[in-house]
Amino acid sequence: MSAREEILDRIRTALKDAPEVPVIPRGYRASSQLDEAVLIELLVDRLIDYKARVSIVDTADVPAKIAEVLAGAGSYVVPAGLDAGWLTGLELEQDSRRRLDSVTAPLSVAELDGVDAVVTGSAVAVAETGTIILDGSPNQGRRAITLVPDHHICVVEVADIAGILPEALRRIDGTRPLTMISGPSATSDIELERVEGVHGPRTLDVIIAR
Amino acid sequence: MSTFLGMPSLPVYGTGNLHASESFPKAAHRELGNAQLRANLGHATHTIRDKRLNVVSELPDWEDLRDAGSAIKESVMARLPELLEQFEANFTARGGVIHWARDADEANEIVAGLIRATGETEAVKIKSMATQEIGLNEYLEEQGIAAYETDLAELIVQLDHDKPSHILVPAIHKNRTQVRDIFLREMEGVDPDLTNDPARLAGAARAHLRRKFLTAKVAVSGANFALADSGTLAVVESEGNGRMCLTLPETLITVMGVEKLLPTWQDLEVFMQLLPRSSTGERMNPYTSLWTGVTEGDGPQNVHLVLLDNGRSAALADEMGRSALHCIRCSACMNVCPVYERTGGHAYGSTYPGPIGAILSPLMTGIQAEENNSLPYASSLCGACYDACPVKINIPDILVHLRSADVDSKRGKKKIPTQMDIGMNAASWALSSGKRLGMLEKGLPLGRLAAGPDKKITKLPGIAAGWTQSRDIPAPPKQSFRDWWKKEHHAPDTAPAAAHDQEDQP
């Protein structure tokens, strides 16, 4: 008998008492019904708690804000599908520091390691937990580009902010390659005290565009 | 019915690092002698308890989430064969390859074979309880394959040639100065001026592992959840070492127990609220990665999953104990356990320490395996673990159930009655009649004699010695309650002085 057949047989035999399949009580909150101002306030509070850097700007000012945050970066990568309008700031239009990455023309891991920063959009954010979810859409790119560079600049559009986790997860396709990000990388492994900055980007800049 | 010919006889128990090789009381006694360990554990468990309480109290629907989580897991266990087949079909359709492993040895061989097939002799690893349980690192080393742990705490443990003592923070028994000393001693090229500042220590780990991450061709991981309706796997982590392993290598091999399934994508919204708050006491962990088979152009292109039984089907066969398989490995139960807080994780022997380990290990190995029958007694049955458990596993009830399984397993085996048998029979004889008890109580003055002038009994004989090992028994009273009552109510005129001798009243 194959291992598969044997394990499934063992499990079926273990369940010979035919335990009842319970109805799942879903009495927990499915939506928060918070208004926009409260959502933004909550998200900012959580992100700051995680030691992320946060700015709130009008959509028209996103390019200037990105240019400002990138001021110290020697080089940066953007996914090929990033909203072209976000890179229209004077300093960014013809920027020699910029590298493009896409599935068809990916940068190597070594090339990414030589890049200082990455700029992406995001799929959805969760205000209550300060979580940003990337789903690999063209404006967010391959998972590697938001991982290897040490500084992640992530634009969150206000329409994409959900109040609580169930609302956010119901907006996305679970079969895409997903990364849920809550602040910069951190560890609690030494005396259970949180320390920010381990292997993932040590600096997370969140630009909330309203 | 030829189909029954091949049916395995149940239960088939698990192998690997699931055993206490010495009895819990013996191991605990040794660990309790380590004052540094107790100080480190006390500090760490209290820190995490407070954090957990804070973030749990923020949620108005915490109890609703626990109820949902508990019911979802109960439904997973009841539907396990069907859900495994559904998961397999979806994962395979997306380009993943599934392997089934009956026990630890088979899982180890599968993983080693997959690594060998890539031509590599190295792999980076994400912290995983399943691979600890099967002893994968040791097996790979024997096979000439180097497995590098990349989680900070696992790295500390691996560099120190030590064993994990907690399922979430395996190096919880080390304080910052001990960690610095390990790094200075074992980490190649480390800054000799390294301080014990946790941020500096994390920085040293980053520098140490960076090259490994960027060049690794093979990664080995566990998984926190597997979604049957989509074939999706999830890894919940903090440091980004998980993302590195799940994203950069060409080949990804995941080892996961069969019980980790969730039926639907929607169920994730429950568990991603329960797990981070229960484990690290955070609203959300820094990084969670989800992948469904292979995504072209993004991440590993060779994606494998080893589905592990190793005693889980045996635990499932125990109707009273099967809910132990609901465990999501958050570690909240050990952080609140008064026994774990003092003995630490090593005393439990198994990969799974603390209250959950005290039930899970014997359920997976059988109560008679090595010293695992001592684990269900590693508890005062205070119930703090049940209160803290995000999926409401009734650990105290299962502990009692396993104690009874332990006693039953010994019944009728020994011809000569044990001290416990004799004691229990004597108690049964004495306590079933007031007359007999009254007669025995006449012997109380003998106990006073044994206590001597300091009115303490410091050493009892035989198995009762366990009671006086760490405490004294006060001298018994001069008379029993029964005698006192008789004097008070039936003979008011006799011995009033004795009746009002407060000091000696029972």
Side-chain angles (χ1 to χ4, degrees):
Chain A
M1 205 188 317
S2 71
R4 178 183 187 277
E5 291 314 309
E6 188 167 337
I7 292 168
L8 286 172
D9 269 353
R10 285 179 188 176
I11 294 171
R12 286 192 188 104
T13 312
L15 294 171
K16 62 181 182 295
D17 61 312
E20 202 183 319
V21 179
V23 176
I24 313 299
R26 295 196 192 265
Y28 57 86
R29 294 168 303 157
S31 71
S32 59
Q33 307 190 330
L34 299 173
D35 66 35
E36 190 179 294
V38 179
L39 283 177
I40 295 174
E41 191 187 352
L42 199 56
L43 179 61
V44 170
D45 175 76
R46 298 325 195 211
L47 286 167
I48 288 172
D49 186 47
Y50 293 141
K51 311 263 168 35
R53 303 197 302 207
V54 191
S55 40
I56 307 169
V57 298
D58 292 332
T59 305
D61 297 330
V62 169
K65 190 70 208 177
I66 291 176
E68 180 194 320
V69 177
L70 280 175
S75 58
Y76 62 90
V77 57
V78 299
L82 191 74
D83 186 338
W86 289 351
L87 299 172
T88 52
L90 268 184
E91 306 83 344
L92 296 173
E93 211 119 26
Q94 301 294 325
D95 197 342
S96 61
R97 300 178 298 163
R98 187 157 72 229
R99 311 271 182 280
L100 270 187
D101 183 276
S102 67
V103 169
T104 47
L107 296 180
S108 70
V109 172
E111 283 171 312
L112 283 173
D113 191 36
V115 170
D116 294 330
V118 54
V119 184
T120 71
S122 56
V124 57
V126 188
E128 186 178 70
T129 61
T131 304
I132 296 166
I133 304 180
L134 307 181
D135 70 357
S137 293
N139 70 337
Q140 297 146 51
R142 299 185 306 130
R143 284 173 288 171
I145 67 168
T146 50
L147 174 62
V148 181
D150 204 13
H151 183 182
H152 183 190
I153 296 136
C154 188
V155 181
V156 174
E157 294 177 77
V158 165
D160 293 330
I161 305 176
I164 58 177
L165 188 72
E167 289 173 295
L169 292 187
R170 287 168 194 191
R171 289 191 201 177
I172 54 179
D173 173 1
T175 63
R176 299 187 65 88
L178 297 174
T179 308
M180 299 168 62
I181 296 174
S182 305
S185 71
T187 182
S188 303
D189 278 351
I190 298 169
E191 298 183 15
L192 280 168
E193 275 178 28
R194 187 176 159 112
V195 172
E196 282 79 16
V198 200
H199 304 296
R202 286 181 286 190
T203 309
L204 175 65
D205 260 298
V206 180
I207 299 174
I208 298 173
R210 59 168 179 221
Chain B
M1 290 284 284
S2 62
T3 46
F4 283 96
L5 286 175
M7 287 288 268
S9 60
L10 270 176
V12 183
Y13 292 118
T15 55
N17 299 327
L18 288 170
H19 300 81
S21 53
E22 59 182 333
S23 74
F24 183 83
K26 212 170 147 193
H29 198 257
R30 185 188 56 248
E31 299 295 319
L32 283 169
N34 186 343
Q36 180 74 64
L37 173 86
R38 264 185 296 145
N40 295 352
L41 277 172
H43 171 70
T45 51
H46 283 263
T47 305
I48 194 78
R49 272 184 219 177
D50 295 345
K51 284 174 72 179
R52 179 186 160 275
L53 282 176
N54 281 338
V55 295
V56 162
S57 64
E58 272 180 14
L59 290 191
D61 54 350
W62 181 251
E63 291 305 322
D64 297 313
L65 288 165
R66 287 179 81 208
D67 286 338
S70 174
I72 291 168
K73 279 294 188 179
E74 197 182 327
S75 126
V76 168
M77 298 313 147
R79 300 172 54 203
L80 196 52
E82 163 207 343
L83 292 174
L84 281 166
E85 285 174 340
Q86 189 191 3
F87 177 85
E88 180 186 41
N90 285 320
F91 189 76
T92 308
R94 290 289 196 132
V97 183
I98 300 240
H99 311 260
W100 299 72
R102 280 167 274 227
D103 55 27
D105 290 344
E106 191 168 20
N108 285 333
E109 283 160 23
I110 292 169
V111 175
L114 290 170
I115 296 174
R116 238 181 262 119
T118 65
E120 294 294 312
T121 54
E122 280 187 8
V124 284
K125 273 197 71 201
I126 311 179
K127 184 176 118 48
S128 132
M129 297 315 298
T131 60
Q132 282 286 353
E133 172 192 323
I134 62 176
L136 180 66
N137 290 5
E138 296 74 17
Y139 180 81
L140 291 179
E141 199 180 329
E142 286 167 23
Q143 300 295 309
I145 298 167
Y148 295 97
E149 290 292 352
T150 61
D151 169 74
L152 177 54
E154 288 283 1
L155 175 69
I156 294 165
V157 168
Q158 193 177 42
L159 286 174
D160 198 35
H161 315 287
D162 193 5
K163 277 169 69 178
S165 70
H166 188 278
I167 65 173
L168 176 75
V169 259
I172 196 172
H173 56 294
K174 303 279 186 201
N175 65 27
R176 58 187 72 189
T177 304
Q178 292 170 310
V179 173
R180 186 213 40 204
D181 295 345
I182 293 166
F183 280 12
L184 287 177
R185 193 177 70 233
E186 302 282 346
M187 197 182 260
E188 223 171 286
V190 73
D191 175 5
D193 296 325
L194 187 66
T195 67
N196 68 0
D197 171 15
R200 292 280 305 274
L201 295 169
R206 177 185 169 100
H208 175 73
L209 287 171
R210 186 88 182 162
R211 183 72 15 219
K212 283 269 172 276
F213 284 135
L214 300 185
T215 56
K217 296 276 185 274
V218 183
V220 177
S221 84
N224 292 92
F225 306 109
L227 307 178
D229 70 342
S230 59
T232 303
L233 290 171
V235 161
V236 176
E237 54 130 355
S238 296
E239 297 169 12
N241 64 310
R243 291 179 69 192
M244 289 280 181
C245 293
L246 298 170
T247 310
L248 301 183
E250 291 161 5
T251 300
L252 172 61
I253 305 162
T254 302
V255 181
M256 183 185 83
V258 290
E259 83 285 15
K260 291 275 178 167
L261 288 179
L262 297 179
T264 66
W265 168 252
Q266 195 192 357
D267 299 322
L268 195 68
E269 71 193 21
V270 176
F271 287 88
M272 283 309 297
Q273 294 191 74
L274 290 173
L275 179 56
R277 284 182 158 90
S278 300
S279 57
T280 50
E282 292 168 305
R283 296 187 180 105
M284 190 62 84
N285 53 293
Y287 297 135
T288 298
S289 295
L290 294 117
W291 70 100
T292 307
V294 175
T295 303
E296 203 182 330
D298 186 351
Q301 298 299 296
N302 305 310
V303 174
H304 297 270
L305 175 67
V306 181
L307 280 171
L308 180 68
D309 177 0
N310 203 36
R312 285 161 177 80
S313 57
L316 190 67
D318 185 325
E319 292 176 35
M320 281 284 293
R322 66 168 57 123
S323 63
L325 294 172
H326 298 185
C327 175
I328 56 173
R329 311 285 190 262
C330 71
S331 74
C333 63
M334 47 203 79
N335 296 333
V336 299
C337 177
V339 176
Y340 176 91
E341 183 188 333
R342 286 162 180 84
T343 66
H346 290 157
Y348 296 78
S350 163
T351 293
Y352 303 106
I356 187 65
I359 58 173
L360 203 51
S361 308
L363 281 166
M364 290 168 73
T365 63
I367 193 78
Q368 287 164 292
E370 294 192 36
E371 299 290 338
N372 277 7
N373 66 344
S374 67
L375 295 176
Y377 301 92
S379 168
S380 64
L381 302 179
C382 75
C385 49
Y386 183 23
D387 286 344
C389 179
V391 289
K392 300 178 85 166
I393 301 170
N394 191 333
I395 296 176
D397 263 13
I398 301 177
L399 285 166
V400 172
H401 160 66
L402 291 172
R403 289 179 186 186
S404 123
D406 170 44
V407 173
D408 288 343
S409 77
K410 292 171 184 159
R411 223 183 276 287
K413 276 197 179 159
K414 288 180 184 129
K415 293 274 181 285
I416 307 159
T418 63
Q419 286 185 46
M420 182 64 91
D421 295 336
I422 294 166
M424 284 297 166
N425 285 335
S428 162
W429 178 84
L431 296 172
S432 56
S433 144
K435 270 189 189 152
R436 293 173 193 166
L437 188 62
M439 194 177 79
L440 285 176
E441 283 167 353
K442 302 284 183 216
L444 284 176
L446 277 177
R448 291 179 72 82
L449 202 64
D454 62 355
K455 296 191 177 174
K456 278 181 197 146
I457 299 175
T458 54
K459 205 170 180 345
L460 285 175
I463 54 164
W467 180 264
T468 47
Q469 185 183 311
S470 52
R471 44 173 128 44
D472 297 332
I473 298 182
K478 279 179 191 152
Q479 57 183 344
S480 69
F481 176 77
R482 237 172 244 281
D483 289 344
W484 171 79
W485 183 268
K486 219 179 268 171
K487 281 174 197 155
E488 279 289 284
H489 294 83
H490 300 294
D493 295 327
T494 56
H500 293 100
D501 185 353
Q502 292 299 320
E503 187 205 352
D504 282 329
Q505 292 318 307

